Amino acid sequence: MTIDMLYSKLHRATVTDANLNYVGSITIDRELMDAAKLRVGQKVEIVNVNNGERFATYVIEGERGQKDICLNGAAARKAEIGDIVIIIAYASMSLDEAEQFKPHVVLLNSENKIDEIKDYV
């Protein structure tokens, strides 16, 4: 048996752009992707703190150092520029793996700069 567990997240990212006329997804600064151990094409859940929306999409790599968090395609209707979002990735793991695994959490400030990186028990 496997269960879905929190793998990593970018906590309180600020949406910097919303591009309705793009083939879906979320563009994330490469530096932030690396910090959260996210991969191109990986499924993520987005939680909008401002309006309560929750939706799933996949990651597209943004330019390193630009601090971009851009919702693309239909997802652009789920948030406005300046909204605060939590970007969550899950992983399926065995019960034994889940006992040992520590989620990777990247805490961001209002400018999408990394405040702290934590591995939780």
Side-chain angles (χ1 to χ4, degrees):
M1 172 177 32
T2 62
I3 57 174
D4 294 335
M5 298 290 295
L6 173 64
Y7 168 74
S8 71
K9 72 177 178 173
L10 289 166
H11 190 73
R12 297 188 63 84
T14 302
V15 175
T16 59
D17 199 4
N19 185 352
L20 184 62
N21 297 312
Y22 189 87
V23 178
S25 65
I26 184 168
T27 302
I28 302 174
D29 176 305
R30 181 75 230 191
E31 179 182 338
L32 300 178
M33 284 179 60
D34 290 347
K37 301 181 181 181
L38 296 173
R39 294 171 166 70
V40 171
Q42 184 173 5
K43 181 180 179 181
V44 290
E45 181 175 23
I46 312 297
V47 179
N48 187 327
V49 173
N50 293 77
N51 65 21
E53 290 277 0
R54 291 181 85 97
F55 57 96
T57 190
Y58 61 92
V59 175
I60 288 181
E61 180 178 342
E63 188 175 339
R64 183 179 295 280
Q66 295 301 303
K67 307 303 181 212
D68 292 332
I69 300 292
C70 178
L71 293 170
N72 301 303
R77 297 228 189 254
K78 301 287 190 180
E80 296 182 22
I81 295 171
D83 279 0
I84 304 301
V85 296
I86 302 168
I87 302 164
I88 306 166
Y90 300 97
S92 294
M93 43 186 92
S94 70
L95 295 175
D96 289 339
E97 288 172 316
E99 287 293 323
Q100 303 300 317
F101 186 76
K102 295 180 182 177
H104 198 69
V105 177
V106 180
L107 306 174
L108 301 177
N109 69 17
S110 62
E111 298 173 339
N112 291 336
K113 293 180 181 172
I114 298 169
D115 270 346
E116 189 174 359
I117 299 174
K118 293 184 174 186
D119 288 320
Y120 286 91
V121 175

